[in-house]
Amino acid sequence: MKLKIAVLPGDGIGPEITEQAVKILKSIADRFDHDFHFEKASVGATAIDQFNNPLPEATLDLCKESDAVLFGAIGHPKYDNDPSAKIRPEQGLLRLRKELGLFANIRPVTTYSKLIDLSPLRRERIEGVDMVIYRELTGGIYFGEKSLNEEGTSATDVCSYSVMEIEKIAHLAFKAAQKRRKKITLVDKANVLETSRLWRKTVTAIAKQYPDIQLDFLFVDNAAMQMILNPKQFDVILTENLFGDILSDEASVISGSIGLLASASVGKKNALFEPIHGSYPDATGKGIANPLAAILSAAMLLDHFHLTEEAKAIKDAVKISINLNICTQDINNEYHYSTEKVGDFLDGLISEVDNYNINNENLNLGQMTII
């Protein structure tokens, strides 16, 4: 397969972790005889510094012309700590989602038995968790009309949804549930919000087209509690933009590290793949950033193009690295490896599939340990 992939490293640790994801995709291309072409572009705070624009037109054009976008991270403290800033890095990502029509964010949440004890939740609550969150991405309060009075004492953010916006992502979620455990939980606040009542009415009507799927409802406050008390009850979670943003980050504690969670943002034509962690500016350039979420996002990219065996090769390699403690310090604080060394190890596993043997001393010296 021939793919053109736009690479947007972004800010903070984005360039470091994206470099490892590209490395792994190149290894996959070599092993499975594909042709992947990568082209980089600026976005976020980096783009503001260069072009005074968080999403330069050249970057947007590249993304529109590409088969997929591999995204790093976005954000910088100088904007986070300045509420008066008119131009912000996050505006670039929001505009990119809107321009590419990326209406559905898909976030898988699973556990690795080796890492369960890293989670603040008890083993018996999270062992075996396997859920996916479908978050609507281009509507709701994030994209509604915003206003601030002249005195700066009153502000308004409008939350708006249409039936069409809800239907698009609902059908994706139901089809995903058919391939899983056949259960959808719609998370809303229908006892208070008119938009939530429209969500519930619309999704209930769609459910009639999928009689094999069990549809449940939870108010978002209860859903947040159930995510901690009994996360194993969830299969597919379907929700609106704001609720999905909050719940998917809450779910990240289940895996033991936010550095493990990948995501895909898809539309009718375009698709973007990114780790859910932020830009982590304090770790920039230190070689301690966990690249696994970015690498698993690359696996989601391959799955999107029905390259199932290739995606499985990446996911299997990640499992091996975790089981053997070839991980960054957020996972293996006692004896950890750098961002680049973890990427090199996975690259070796994918490239040399016949046999492998682990030697910590050799790995520490930067030598290939696959023999």
Side-chain angles (χ1 to χ4, degrees):
M1 178 176 285
K2 187 174 183 178
L3 293 176
K4 180 178 179 179
I5 301 172
V7 180
L8 276 55
D11 308 321
I13 62 171
E16 301 167 58
I17 51 105
T18 305
E19 180 182 356
Q20 303 311 311
V22 170
K23 178 192 298 181
I24 298 305
L25 284 172
K26 287 180 177 178
S27 184
I28 287 289
D30 290 341
R31 175 175 161 185
F32 292 91
D33 196 26
H34 297 304
D35 182 6
F36 297 162
H37 172 72
F38 302 91
E39 189 170 340
K40 288 185 180 181
S42 297
V43 72
T46 302
I48 295 175
D49 291 342
Q50 292 179 301
F51 307 104
N52 198 37
N53 185 345
L55 182 65
E57 292 304 315
T59 299
L60 179 58
D61 289 343
L62 172 64
C63 293
K64 288 181 176 179
E65 295 165 1
S66 300
D67 297 298
V69 179
L70 189 64
F71 197 93
I74 205 167
H76 193 282
K78 68 182 178 181
Y79 300 100
D80 297 339
N81 300 327
D82 182 7
S84 65
K86 300 300 183 184
I87 302 176
R88 295 180 173 278
E90 293 77 11
Q91 292 170 346
L93 181 55
L94 290 176
R95 185 186 171 209
L96 184 61
R97 289 171 178 169
K98 199 75 173 179
E99 292 282 349
L100 297 183
L102 306 178
F103 63 87
N105 181 252
I106 305 165
R107 295 191 179 185
V109 180
T110 188
T111 55
Y112 297 89
S113 58
K114 183 82 173 181
L115 304 180
I116 283 180
D117 292 334
L118 293 179
S119 172
L121 302 182
R122 293 202 300 267
R123 173 177 288 269
E124 60 269 24
R125 288 191 177 179
I126 63 174
E127 196 164 27
V129 164
D130 180 15
M131 74 176 82
V132 60
I133 300 174
Y134 274 71
R135 166 193 169 193
E136 200 288 324
L137 208 56
T138 57
I141 201 167
Y142 287 0
F143 290 95
E145 182 181 344
K146 304 178 188 309
S147 64
L148 178 69
N149 69 355
E150 291 184 3
E151 296 78 16
T153 57
S154 178
T156 302
D157 295 286
V158 175
C159 183
S160 177
Y161 269 109
S162 68
V163 168
M164 183 183 69
E165 289 173 313
I166 299 167
E167 287 178 337
K168 285 194 301 184
I169 188 170
H171 281 293
L172 285 184
F174 275 96
K175 289 173 183 176
Q178 287 180 320
K179 299 176 182 178
R180 294 173 54 87
R181 301 197 309 274
K182 302 186 185 305
K183 179 182 177 182
I184 285 184
T185 302
L186 175 64
V187 174
D188 59 28
K189 193 64 176 171
N191 57 335
V192 175
L193 301 177
E194 196 64 47
T195 49
S196 283
R197 287 190 277 272
L198 182 63
W199 268 84
R200 190 169 289 209
K201 177 182 177 181
T202 304
V203 173
T204 299
I206 290 174
K208 297 176 182 178
Q209 303 176 38
Y210 301 89
D212 56 329
I213 303 300
Q214 175 189 343
L215 175 62
D216 293 335
F217 306 94
L218 281 179
F219 294 145
V220 64
D221 42 357
N222 188 20
M225 180 175 66
Q226 294 299 322
M227 189 77 71
I228 301 302
L229 293 177
N230 182 23
K232 286 189 279 191
Q233 69 182 281
F234 296 113
D235 181 22
V236 176
I237 293 176
L238 171 62
T239 191
E240 58 108 81
N241 206 340
L242 175 63
F243 299 159
D245 190 3
I246 296 168
L247 288 177
S248 55
D249 280 359
E250 180 189 15
S252 70
V253 305
I254 294 171
S255 68
S257 172
I258 198 171
L260 291 171
L261 295 187
S263 77
S265 298
V266 303
K268 287 185 176 180
K269 179 181 177 183
N270 301 101
L272 179 148
F273 304 87
E274 62 176 319
I276 78 161
H277 59 67
S279 57
Y280 194 10
D282 290 344
T284 303
K286 296 180 181 178
I288 62 175
N290 189 343
L292 295 185
I295 291 169
L296 288 169
S297 296
M300 292 188 75
L301 184 156
L302 296 172
D303 268 327
H304 179 75
F305 291 101
H306 308 291
L307 300 177
T308 307
E309 184 181 357
E310 292 86 338
K312 185 177 184 298
I314 293 180
K315 289 180 273 192
D316 287 346
V318 167
K319 289 178 184 177
I320 291 172
S321 72
I322 290 173
N323 288 336
L324 295 172
N325 281 325
I326 312 299
C327 303
T328 47
Q329 69 176 24
D330 58 310
I331 293 177
N332 182 9
N333 192 44
E334 184 175 348
Y335 191 89
H336 53 265
Y337 301 93
S338 70
T339 307
E340 184 177 9
K341 287 292 194 301
V342 172
D344 287 344
F345 177 74
L346 294 172
D347 182 41
L349 282 178
I350 291 168
S351 300
E352 305 290 339
V353 297
D354 293 334
N355 190 28
Y356 63 88
N357 184 37
I358 307 306
N359 183 299
N360 283 339
E361 183 178 355
N362 283 351
L363 186 64
N364 203 40
L365 292 172
Q367 300 172 1
M368 179 47 59
T369 60
I370 311 300
I371 60 173

